[in-house]
Amino acid sequence: MRSSCVLLTILVALAAYYVYIPLPSSVSDPWKLRLLDAVFRSVQQVTNLIHYLGLSHHLLALNFIINSLVKKNAWSSAEVKVTDTDFDGVEVRVFEGSPKPEEPLKRSVVYIHGGGWALASAKIKNYDELCTAMAKELNAVIVSIDYRLVPKVYFPEQIYDVVRATKYFLQPEVLHKYSVDPKRIGVSGDSAGGNLAATLTQQFNQDTNLKNKFKVQALIYPVLQALDFNTPSYQQNANTPILPRYVMVKYWVDYFKGNYDFVQEMIVNNHTSLDVKEAAALRARLNWTSLLPASIKKNYQPVVQTTGNARIIQKIPQLLDARSAPLIADQEVLQGLPKTYLLTCENDVVRDDGIMYAKRLESAGVEVTLDHFEGCFHGCMIFTSWPINFSVGIQAQNSYIKWLDQNL
Protein backbone atom coordinates (compact mmCIF):
# COMPACT_ATOMS: atom_id res chain seq x y z
CA MET A 1 0.00 0.00 0.00
CA ARG A 2 2.79 2.38 0.94
CA SER A 3 4.68 1.63 -2.28
CA SER A 4 1.50 2.31 -4.30
CA CYS A 5 1.10 5.70 -2.64
CA VAL A 6 4.74 6.53 -3.33
CA LEU A 7 4.35 5.50 -6.97
CA LEU A 8 1.16 7.55 -7.31
CA THR A 9 2.88 10.57 -5.76
CA ILE A 10 5.77 10.23 -8.19
CA LEU A 11 3.42 9.95 -11.18
CA VAL A 12 1.43 13.00 -10.07
CA ALA A 13 4.67 14.96 -9.61
CA LEU A 14 5.91 13.94 -13.05
CA ALA A 15 2.57 14.87 -14.63
CA ALA A 16 2.63 18.25 -12.90
CA TYR A 17 6.23 18.80 -14.06
CA TYR A 18 5.23 17.95 -17.65
CA VAL A 19 2.15 20.16 -17.61
CA TYR A 20 3.64 23.16 -15.83
CA ILE A 21 5.30 25.82 -17.96
CA PRO A 22 5.94 29.42 -16.92
CA LEU A 23 3.44 31.83 -18.45
CA PRO A 24 3.16 35.63 -18.47
CA SER A 25 0.91 36.96 -15.73
CA SER A 26 -1.45 38.48 -18.29
CA VAL A 27 -2.42 35.13 -19.85
CA SER A 28 -6.10 34.26 -19.48
CA ASP A 29 -6.96 30.95 -17.75
CA PRO A 30 -3.28 29.91 -17.35
CA TRP A 31 -3.85 26.37 -16.03
CA LYS A 32 -6.34 25.59 -18.76
CA LEU A 33 -3.77 26.80 -21.32
CA ARG A 34 -1.08 24.65 -19.70
CA LEU A 35 -3.30 21.58 -19.96
CA LEU A 36 -4.16 22.37 -23.59
CA ASP A 37 -0.48 22.82 -24.38
CA ALA A 38 0.41 19.53 -22.66
CA VAL A 39 -2.17 17.71 -24.79
CA PHE A 40 -0.78 19.32 -27.96
CA ARG A 41 2.80 18.42 -27.04
CA SER A 42 1.85 14.84 -26.23
CA VAL A 43 0.01 14.35 -29.53
CA GLN A 44 2.89 15.91 -31.45
CA GLN A 45 5.36 13.56 -29.78
CA VAL A 46 3.23 10.59 -30.80
CA THR A 47 2.99 11.76 -34.40
CA ASN A 48 6.71 12.50 -34.50
CA LEU A 49 7.34 8.90 -33.41
CA ILE A 50 4.99 7.67 -36.14
CA HIS A 51 6.99 9.74 -38.63
CA TYR A 52 10.31 8.44 -37.29
CA LEU A 53 9.14 4.82 -37.66
CA GLY A 54 8.19 5.54 -41.28
CA LEU A 55 4.51 4.76 -40.73
CA SER A 56 3.18 8.13 -41.93
CA HIS A 57 4.16 11.76 -42.36
CA HIS A 58 3.79 13.41 -38.95
CA LEU A 59 1.46 16.11 -40.30
CA LEU A 60 -0.83 13.54 -41.91
CA ALA A 61 -0.91 11.61 -38.63
CA LEU A 62 -1.63 14.78 -36.66
CA ASN A 63 -4.43 15.79 -39.00
CA PHE A 64 -5.91 12.30 -38.77
CA ILE A 65 -6.05 12.64 -34.98
CA ILE A 66 -7.56 16.14 -35.19
CA ASN A 67 -10.27 15.06 -37.64
CA SER A 68 -11.01 11.90 -35.66
CA LEU A 69 -11.61 13.95 -32.51
CA VAL A 70 -13.30 17.14 -33.70
CA LYS A 71 -14.54 16.75 -37.27
CA LYS A 72 -18.18 17.75 -37.53
CA ASN A 73 -20.70 16.92 -40.22
CA ALA A 74 -22.63 19.71 -41.92
CA TRP A 75 -25.58 20.21 -39.62
CA SER A 76 -28.23 22.85 -40.21
CA SER A 77 -30.47 24.53 -37.66
CA ALA A 78 -33.52 26.72 -37.87
CA GLU A 79 -31.24 29.77 -37.94
CA VAL A 80 -28.32 28.64 -40.12
CA LYS A 81 -28.29 26.36 -43.14
CA VAL A 82 -24.98 24.47 -43.49
CA THR A 83 -23.95 22.64 -46.66
CA ASP A 84 -20.78 21.05 -48.03
CA THR A 85 -20.06 21.63 -51.71
CA ASP A 86 -17.20 22.60 -53.97
CA PHE A 87 -16.38 25.81 -55.81
CA ASP A 88 -14.42 25.11 -58.99
CA GLY A 89 -13.06 21.88 -57.53
CA VAL A 90 -12.19 23.33 -54.11
CA GLU A 91 -14.15 22.00 -51.14
CA VAL A 92 -16.08 24.59 -49.14
CA ARG A 93 -18.58 24.62 -46.30
CA VAL A 94 -21.29 27.26 -46.75
CA PHE A 95 -23.21 28.75 -43.83
CA GLU A 96 -26.38 30.70 -44.71
CA GLY A 97 -28.19 32.88 -42.21
CA SER A 98 -31.97 32.86 -42.21
CA PRO A 99 -33.61 34.97 -44.95
CA LYS A 100 -35.20 38.22 -43.82
CA PRO A 101 -37.94 39.89 -45.88
CA GLU A 102 -36.50 43.34 -45.16
CA GLU A 103 -33.06 42.22 -46.36
CA PRO A 104 -33.40 40.31 -49.65
CA LEU A 105 -29.61 40.35 -50.14
CA LYS A 106 -27.19 39.18 -47.47
CA ARG A 107 -23.70 40.19 -46.48
CA SER A 108 -20.97 37.60 -46.96
CA VAL A 109 -17.55 36.64 -45.63
CA VAL A 110 -15.06 34.33 -47.30
CA TYR A 111 -13.32 32.63 -44.36
CA ILE A 112 -9.94 30.87 -44.48
CA HIS A 113 -9.01 28.64 -41.53
CA GLY A 114 -5.63 28.52 -39.82
CA GLY A 115 -3.35 25.61 -39.01
CA GLY A 116 0.11 26.39 -40.38
CA TRP A 117 -1.00 25.65 -43.98
CA ALA A 118 -0.90 22.00 -42.85
CA LEU A 119 -3.54 21.29 -40.21
CA ALA A 120 -7.25 21.64 -39.40
CA SER A 121 -10.19 22.02 -41.76
CA ALA A 122 -13.31 24.04 -42.40
CA LYS A 123 -15.14 20.96 -41.16
CA ILE A 124 -13.72 20.70 -37.65
CA LYS A 125 -15.90 21.70 -34.74
CA ASN A 126 -13.94 24.86 -33.85
CA TYR A 127 -14.32 26.49 -37.27
CA ASP A 128 -17.80 25.16 -37.83
CA GLU A 129 -18.95 26.84 -34.61
CA LEU A 130 -17.17 30.10 -35.45
CA CYS A 131 -18.70 30.31 -38.92
CA THR A 132 -22.13 29.31 -37.61
CA ALA A 133 -21.95 32.15 -35.08
CA MET A 134 -20.91 34.59 -37.81
CA ALA A 135 -23.74 33.52 -40.13
CA LYS A 136 -26.27 33.76 -37.34
CA GLU A 137 -25.21 37.06 -35.78
CA LEU A 138 -24.46 38.83 -39.06
CA ASN A 139 -27.33 37.20 -40.95
CA ALA A 140 -24.72 36.50 -43.59
CA VAL A 141 -23.43 33.85 -45.97
CA ILE A 142 -20.08 32.50 -44.78
CA VAL A 143 -17.98 30.54 -47.25
CA SER A 144 -15.35 28.56 -45.36
CA ILE A 145 -12.68 27.25 -47.75
CA ASP A 146 -11.22 23.78 -47.24
CA TYR A 147 -8.01 24.35 -49.17
CA ARG A 148 -5.48 21.54 -49.65
CA LEU A 149 -2.78 21.14 -47.02
CA VAL A 150 0.89 20.31 -46.56
CA PRO A 151 2.26 17.67 -47.19
CA LYS A 152 -0.16 16.86 -50.02
CA VAL A 153 0.58 20.23 -51.63
CA TYR A 154 3.02 23.05 -50.93
CA PHE A 155 3.29 26.79 -51.56
CA PRO A 156 1.74 28.31 -53.62
CA GLU A 157 -0.99 25.68 -54.11
CA GLN A 158 -2.87 26.81 -50.99
CA ILE A 159 -3.06 30.30 -52.52
CA TYR A 160 -4.31 28.90 -55.82
CA ASP A 161 -7.09 27.03 -54.01
CA VAL A 162 -8.40 30.08 -52.14
CA VAL A 163 -8.13 32.25 -55.27
CA ARG A 164 -10.00 29.70 -57.39
CA ALA A 165 -12.78 29.12 -54.85
CA THR A 166 -13.25 32.85 -54.20
CA LYS A 167 -13.34 33.80 -57.89
CA TYR A 168 -15.99 31.14 -58.41
CA PHE A 169 -18.06 32.51 -55.54
CA LEU A 170 -17.80 36.09 -56.84
CA GLN A 171 -19.45 35.19 -60.15
CA PRO A 172 -22.79 37.04 -60.48
CA GLU A 173 -24.79 33.85 -60.94
CA VAL A 174 -23.29 32.27 -57.82
CA LEU A 175 -23.86 35.40 -55.71
CA HIS A 176 -27.46 35.42 -56.98
CA LYS A 177 -27.88 31.76 -56.00
CA TYR A 178 -26.91 32.59 -52.41
CA SER A 179 -28.71 35.98 -52.37
CA VAL A 180 -25.48 37.85 -51.63
CA ASP A 181 -25.02 41.60 -52.06
CA PRO A 182 -21.90 41.95 -54.30
CA LYS A 183 -21.02 45.24 -52.59
CA ARG A 184 -20.94 43.73 -49.09
CA ILE A 185 -18.42 40.89 -49.27
CA GLY A 186 -15.45 40.59 -46.94
CA VAL A 187 -12.55 38.19 -46.54
CA SER A 188 -11.17 36.90 -43.26
CA GLY A 189 -8.86 34.29 -41.81
CA ASP A 190 -6.90 33.39 -38.71
CA SER A 191 -3.19 32.56 -38.36
CA ALA A 192 -2.01 30.94 -41.62
CA GLY A 193 -5.53 31.59 -42.90
CA GLY A 194 -4.96 35.28 -42.14
CA ASN A 195 -1.81 35.03 -44.24
CA LEU A 196 -3.80 33.59 -47.16
CA ALA A 197 -6.57 36.18 -46.70
CA ALA A 198 -4.05 39.05 -46.82
CA THR A 199 -2.42 37.63 -49.95
CA LEU A 200 -5.82 37.07 -51.57
CA THR A 201 -6.84 40.68 -50.86
CA GLN A 202 -3.60 42.06 -52.32
CA GLN A 203 -3.96 39.97 -55.48
CA PHE A 204 -7.63 40.81 -55.99
CA ASN A 205 -6.96 44.51 -55.48
CA GLN A 206 -4.39 44.37 -58.30
CA ASP A 207 -6.65 42.35 -60.62
CA THR A 208 -8.29 44.81 -63.02
CA ASN A 209 -10.49 42.06 -64.46
CA LEU A 210 -12.32 41.52 -61.19
CA LYS A 211 -15.59 43.44 -61.01
CA ASN A 212 -16.45 42.55 -57.42
CA LYS A 213 -13.90 43.59 -54.79
CA PHE A 214 -13.81 43.00 -51.05
CA LYS A 215 -15.42 45.66 -48.90
CA VAL A 216 -13.35 44.68 -45.84
CA GLN A 217 -10.62 42.31 -44.73
CA ALA A 218 -10.40 40.97 -41.18
CA LEU A 219 -7.15 39.29 -40.19
CA ILE A 220 -6.95 37.34 -36.93
CA TYR A 221 -3.43 37.02 -35.46
CA PRO A 222 -2.10 36.64 -39.00
CA VAL A 223 1.30 35.15 -39.93
CA LEU A 224 2.73 37.72 -42.34
CA GLN A 225 6.50 37.36 -42.70
CA ALA A 226 9.41 34.92 -42.46
CA LEU A 227 12.35 37.32 -42.65
CA ASP A 228 12.74 38.17 -38.97
CA PHE A 229 12.16 35.61 -36.24
CA ASN A 230 13.48 37.99 -33.60
CA THR A 231 10.90 40.76 -33.51
CA PRO A 232 9.99 41.70 -29.91
CA SER A 233 7.04 39.30 -29.97
CA TYR A 234 9.18 36.41 -31.23
CA GLN A 235 11.73 37.11 -28.50
CA GLN A 236 9.15 37.65 -25.75
CA ASN A 237 7.01 34.62 -26.64
CA ALA A 238 9.64 32.21 -27.91
CA ASN A 239 8.31 29.43 -25.67
CA THR A 240 4.70 30.54 -25.21
CA PRO A 241 1.96 28.05 -26.10
CA ILE A 242 0.34 27.12 -28.29
CA LEU A 243 2.72 28.38 -30.97
CA PRO A 244 6.37 28.49 -29.80
CA ARG A 245 8.88 30.10 -32.16
CA TYR A 246 10.48 26.77 -33.09
CA VAL A 247 7.11 25.35 -34.17
CA MET A 248 6.28 28.45 -36.24
CA VAL A 249 9.59 28.27 -38.09
CA LYS A 250 8.99 24.58 -38.81
CA TYR A 251 5.58 25.43 -40.28
CA TRP A 252 7.29 27.87 -42.66
CA VAL A 253 9.84 25.23 -43.68
CA ASP A 254 7.04 22.68 -44.21
CA TYR A 255 5.05 25.19 -46.31
CA PHE A 256 7.99 25.50 -48.70
CA LYS A 257 9.03 21.83 -48.58
CA GLY A 258 12.32 22.95 -47.12
CA ASN A 259 14.96 21.24 -45.03
CA TYR A 260 14.59 21.05 -41.24
CA ASP A 261 18.37 21.45 -41.01
CA PHE A 262 17.80 25.16 -41.64
CA VAL A 263 15.41 25.70 -38.72
CA GLN A 264 17.94 26.58 -36.03
CA GLU A 265 19.77 28.99 -38.33
CA MET A 266 16.50 30.67 -39.32
CA ILE A 267 15.62 31.15 -35.65
CA VAL A 268 18.70 33.38 -35.26
CA ASN A 269 18.04 35.16 -38.60
CA ASN A 270 20.98 33.64 -40.46
CA HIS A 271 18.78 33.46 -43.57
CA THR A 272 18.50 37.27 -43.77
CA SER A 273 21.97 38.31 -42.57
CA LEU A 274 23.66 41.40 -44.00
CA ASP A 275 25.60 39.33 -46.52
CA VAL A 276 22.41 37.88 -48.04
CA LYS A 277 21.89 40.40 -50.84
CA GLU A 278 18.44 39.13 -51.80
CA ALA A 279 17.08 40.20 -48.40
CA ALA A 280 18.68 43.66 -48.33
CA ALA A 281 15.99 45.46 -50.32
CA LEU A 282 13.20 44.01 -48.16
CA ARG A 283 14.74 44.71 -44.78
CA ALA A 284 13.51 48.33 -44.67
CA ARG A 285 9.90 47.16 -45.03
CA LEU A 286 10.33 45.09 -41.90
CA ASN A 287 12.19 47.57 -39.71
CA TRP A 288 10.35 47.00 -36.48
CA THR A 289 12.35 49.67 -34.66
CA SER A 290 10.34 52.24 -36.64
CA LEU A 291 7.12 50.30 -37.21
CA LEU A 292 6.38 49.29 -33.62
CA PRO A 293 5.41 51.60 -30.73
CA ALA A 294 7.68 51.90 -27.69
CA SER A 295 5.18 49.96 -25.55
CA ILE A 296 5.72 46.93 -27.80
CA LYS A 297 9.46 47.32 -28.46
CA LYS A 298 10.28 47.58 -24.75
CA ASN A 299 14.01 46.89 -24.34
CA TYR A 300 14.32 44.30 -27.08
CA GLN A 301 17.12 44.71 -29.62
CA PRO A 302 17.16 43.73 -33.31
CA VAL A 303 19.00 40.54 -34.20
CA VAL A 304 20.84 41.21 -37.47
CA GLN A 305 23.67 38.85 -38.31
CA THR A 306 26.65 40.23 -40.23
CA THR A 307 27.29 36.88 -41.88
CA GLY A 308 24.83 34.04 -42.18
CA ASN A 309 23.92 31.22 -44.51
CA ALA A 310 23.12 32.35 -48.04
CA ARG A 311 22.22 28.77 -48.96
CA ILE A 312 18.93 29.05 -47.08
CA ILE A 313 17.49 31.68 -49.43
CA GLN A 314 19.02 29.89 -52.41
CA LYS A 315 17.24 26.69 -51.42
CA ILE A 316 14.03 28.39 -50.16
CA PRO A 317 13.61 31.59 -52.21
CA GLN A 318 9.89 31.54 -51.33
CA LEU A 319 10.80 33.07 -47.96
CA LEU A 320 11.21 36.41 -49.77
CA ASP A 321 8.09 36.06 -51.93
CA ALA A 322 5.43 38.65 -51.05
CA ARG A 323 2.75 36.05 -51.80
CA SER A 324 3.96 34.09 -48.77
CA ALA A 325 4.86 37.19 -46.75
CA PRO A 326 2.28 39.93 -47.52
CA LEU A 327 3.87 42.23 -44.93
CA ILE A 328 6.79 42.84 -47.35
CA ALA A 329 4.61 43.78 -50.33
CA ASP A 330 5.41 46.97 -52.25
CA GLN A 331 3.79 50.14 -50.92
CA GLU A 332 1.89 50.47 -54.21
CA VAL A 333 0.28 47.08 -53.61
CA LEU A 334 -0.99 48.20 -50.20
CA GLN A 335 -2.58 51.38 -51.53
CA GLY A 336 -6.28 51.02 -52.16
CA LEU A 337 -6.74 47.91 -50.02
CA PRO A 338 -10.12 47.72 -48.26
CA LYS A 339 -10.90 48.75 -44.71
CA THR A 340 -8.99 46.39 -42.44
CA TYR A 341 -9.45 44.81 -39.04
CA LEU A 342 -6.39 43.28 -37.34
CA LEU A 343 -6.71 41.28 -34.14
CA THR A 344 -3.45 40.69 -32.27
CA CYS A 345 -2.58 38.87 -29.05
CA GLU A 346 0.02 39.99 -26.53
CA ASN A 347 1.24 36.45 -25.85
CA ASP A 348 1.85 35.41 -29.45
CA VAL A 349 5.01 35.13 -31.54
CA VAL A 350 3.29 36.72 -34.57
CA ARG A 351 1.82 39.63 -32.61
CA ASP A 352 4.21 42.10 -34.22
CA ASP A 353 3.45 40.88 -37.75
CA GLY A 354 -0.08 42.21 -37.34
CA ILE A 355 0.97 45.45 -35.65
CA MET A 356 3.57 46.20 -38.33
CA TYR A 357 1.07 45.43 -41.10
CA ALA A 358 -1.40 47.83 -39.50
CA LYS A 359 1.29 50.54 -39.54
CA ARG A 360 2.24 49.87 -43.16
CA LEU A 361 -1.42 49.88 -44.24
CA GLU A 362 -2.09 53.15 -42.45
CA SER A 363 0.95 54.69 -44.17
CA ALA A 364 -0.56 53.57 -47.47
CA GLY A 365 -3.83 55.36 -46.67
CA VAL A 366 -5.87 52.33 -45.62
CA GLU A 367 -8.38 52.66 -42.77
CA VAL A 368 -7.29 50.20 -40.07
CA THR A 369 -8.71 48.98 -36.76
CA LEU A 370 -6.07 47.33 -34.58
CA ASP A 371 -7.76 45.27 -31.87
CA HIS A 372 -5.13 44.16 -29.35
CA PHE A 373 -5.88 41.71 -26.53
CA GLU A 374 -3.51 41.62 -23.56
CA GLY A 375 -4.61 38.24 -22.19
CA CYS A 376 -4.79 36.46 -25.54
CA PHE A 377 -2.57 33.71 -26.93
CA HIS A 378 -2.30 32.45 -30.50
CA GLY A 379 -5.42 30.56 -31.54
CA CYS A 380 -7.58 31.76 -28.66
CA MET A 381 -10.52 32.81 -30.81
CA ILE A 382 -11.44 29.27 -31.81
CA PHE A 383 -11.37 27.99 -28.24
CA THR A 384 -14.78 29.16 -27.08
CA SER A 385 -16.72 26.02 -26.16
CA TRP A 386 -16.36 23.52 -23.32
CA PRO A 387 -14.00 21.97 -22.32
CA ILE A 388 -11.47 24.29 -23.99
CA ASN A 389 -13.38 27.55 -23.63
CA PHE A 390 -11.27 30.57 -22.73
CA SER A 391 -12.93 33.78 -21.55
CA VAL A 392 -10.55 35.91 -23.59
CA GLY A 393 -11.31 33.81 -26.69
CA ILE A 394 -15.00 34.57 -26.28
CA GLN A 395 -14.22 38.28 -25.85
CA ALA A 396 -12.04 38.29 -28.96
CA GLN A 397 -14.66 36.50 -31.04
CA ASN A 398 -17.38 38.91 -29.91
CA SER A 399 -15.20 41.91 -30.73
CA TYR A 400 -14.38 40.50 -34.17
CA ILE A 401 -18.01 39.79 -35.07
CA LYS A 402 -19.08 43.20 -33.74
CA TRP A 403 -16.56 44.92 -36.05
CA LEU A 404 -17.83 42.94 -39.03
CA ASP A 405 -21.41 43.85 -38.15
CA GLN A 406 -20.54 47.55 -38.03
CA ASN A 407 -18.35 47.67 -41.13
CA LEU A 408 -19.55 45.05 -43.61
Side-chain angles (χ1 to χ4, degrees):
M1 182 68 178
R2 181 178 297 176
S3 59
S4 298
C5 291
V6 170
L7 179 60
L8 180 60
T9 301
I10 292 172
L11 290 174
V12 170
L14 288 173
Y17 178 78
Y18 183 78
V19 169
Y20 180 81
I21 53 172
L23 291 174
S25 58
S26 63
V27 169
S28 170
D29 303 313
W31 276 106
K32 191 178 291 186
L33 180 56
R34 289 186 178 104
L35 288 169
L36 179 64
D37 177 65
V39 171
F40 280 7
R41 283 186 283 122
S42 300
V43 172
Q44 287 170 350
Q45 287 167 1
V46 170
T47 56
N48 287 339
L49 177 61
I50 290 172
H51 187 106
Y52 176 77
L53 295 174
L55 301 175
S56 174
H57 192 287
H58 68 99
L59 291 172
L60 291 177
L62 188 52
N63 242 343
F64 175 80
I65 294 172
I66 291 171
N67 284 311
S68 298
L69 293 175
V70 292
K71 187 174 181 179
K72 184 178 179 181
N73 291 328
W75 183 80
S76 299
S77 67
E79 297 169 310
V80 179
K81 178 184 177 183
V82 183
T83 54
D84 288 334
T85 184
D86 72 90
F87 286 175
D88 195 15
V90 180
E91 293 184 10
V92 297
R93 177 164 285 187
V94 182
F95 304 78
E96 301 174 69
S98 299
K100 292 185 177 180
E102 66 274 18
E103 292 184 9
L105 295 180
K106 297 189 184 76
R107 301 178 280 188
S108 182
V109 177
V110 174
Y111 195 86
I112 309 171
H113 72 81
W117 308 281
L119 301 173
S121 163
K123 298 171 184 175
I124 67 170
K125 178 175 179 285
N126 309 68
Y127 288 111
D128 181 274
E129 290 180 349
L130 170 62
C131 292
T132 296
M134 292 166 65
K136 177 182 175 181
E137 296 182 37
L138 299 172
N139 187 37
V141 175
I142 312 300
V143 176
S144 188
I145 303 178
D146 225 7
Y147 57 93
R148 292 170 296 163
L149 304 171
V150 173
K152 293 185 178 180
V153 298
Y154 299 91
F155 172 89
E157 292 299 324
Q158 287 83 351
I159 298 172
Y160 295 158
D161 280 3
V162 298
V163 167
R164 191 161 68 250
T166 306
K167 282 188 174 180
Y168 179 91
F169 178 60
L170 293 179
Q171 294 178 106
E173 60 270 26
V174 180
L175 295 179
H176 177 75
K177 174 184 175 181
Y178 289 102
S179 301
V180 169
D181 185 343
K183 296 180 180 179
R184 302 180 73 189
I185 301 171
V187 63
S188 183
D190 65 297
S191 191
N195 170 285
L196 294 170
T199 296
L200 181 67
T201 306
Q202 290 181 5
Q203 290 192 6
F204 277 26
N205 195 54
Q206 298 290 108
D207 191 339
T208 56
N209 295 319
L210 273 179
K211 181 180 178 182
N212 296 320
K213 305 283 187 177
F214 295 127
K215 184 178 180 181
V216 300
Q217 65 171 338
L219 311 178
I220 314 304
Y221 31 80
V223 181
L224 298 173
Q225 60 87 24
L227 278 74
D228 189 352
F229 294 116
N230 285 275
T231 60
S233 60
Y234 267 109
Q235 294 186 52
Q236 174 184 309
N237 300 298
N239 298 306
T240 300
I242 56 175
L243 187 66
R245 175 167 57 180
Y246 178 77
V247 173
M248 186 66 250
V249 176
K250 284 185 67 176
Y251 278 137
W252 277 110
V253 172
D254 282 326
Y255 190 31
F256 301 136
K257 203 179 181 179
N259 192 325
Y260 284 160
D261 292 344
F262 293 145
V263 169
Q264 290 299 334
E265 290 196 85
M266 290 169 64
I267 285 174
V268 295
N269 286 350
N270 274 350
H271 61 306
T272 53
S273 54
L274 294 177
D275 61 333
V276 179
K277 296 179 181 178
E278 299 91 336
L282 302 173
R283 204 170 283 112
R285 301 176 190 175
L286 202 59
N287 181 10
W288 59 259
T289 60
S290 62
L291 290 171
L292 296 176
S295 59
I296 293 295
K297 289 185 290 188
K298 300 184 176 73
N299 294 319
Y300 293 104
Q301 298 299 316
V303 175
V304 181
Q305 306 293 351
T306 304
T307 57
N309 186 349
R311 286 185 62 249
I312 299 175
I313 295 300
Q314 291 169 6
K315 293 290 185 180
I316 318 177
Q318 305 95 318
L319 287 163
L320 305 183
D321 191 325
R323 292 177 301 168
S324 73
L327 177 54
I328 63 173
D330 292 338
Q331 189 75 356
E332 294 75 18
V333 173
L334 304 183
Q335 292 171 354
L337 289 179
K339 184 183 293 188
T340 299
Y341 173 87
L342 274 154
L343 189 151
T344 56
C345 301
E346 178 63 22
N347 309 292
D348 182 5
V349 289
V350 299
R351 176 198 68 194
D352 297 345
D353 287 18
I355 297 174
M356 287 190 287
Y357 198 44
K359 183 68 174 179
R360 287 207 66 206
L361 289 174
E362 287 176 343
S363 298
V366 178
E367 185 178 342
V368 179
T369 297
L370 179 61
D371 202 3
H372 184 67
F373 283 81
E374 286 291 328
C376 262
F377 57 91
H378 191 87
C380 66
M381 204 181 77
I382 62 169
F383 298 120
T384 58
S385 60
W386 191 90
I388 48 173
N389 53 316
F390 289 83
S391 57
V392 73
I394 296 170
Q395 293 168 20
Q397 187 177 121
N398 289 341
S399 184
Y400 161 68
I401 293 176
K402 180 180 179 180
W403 185 90
L404 285 172
D405 190 32
Q406 294 173 344
N407 292 278
L408 183 58

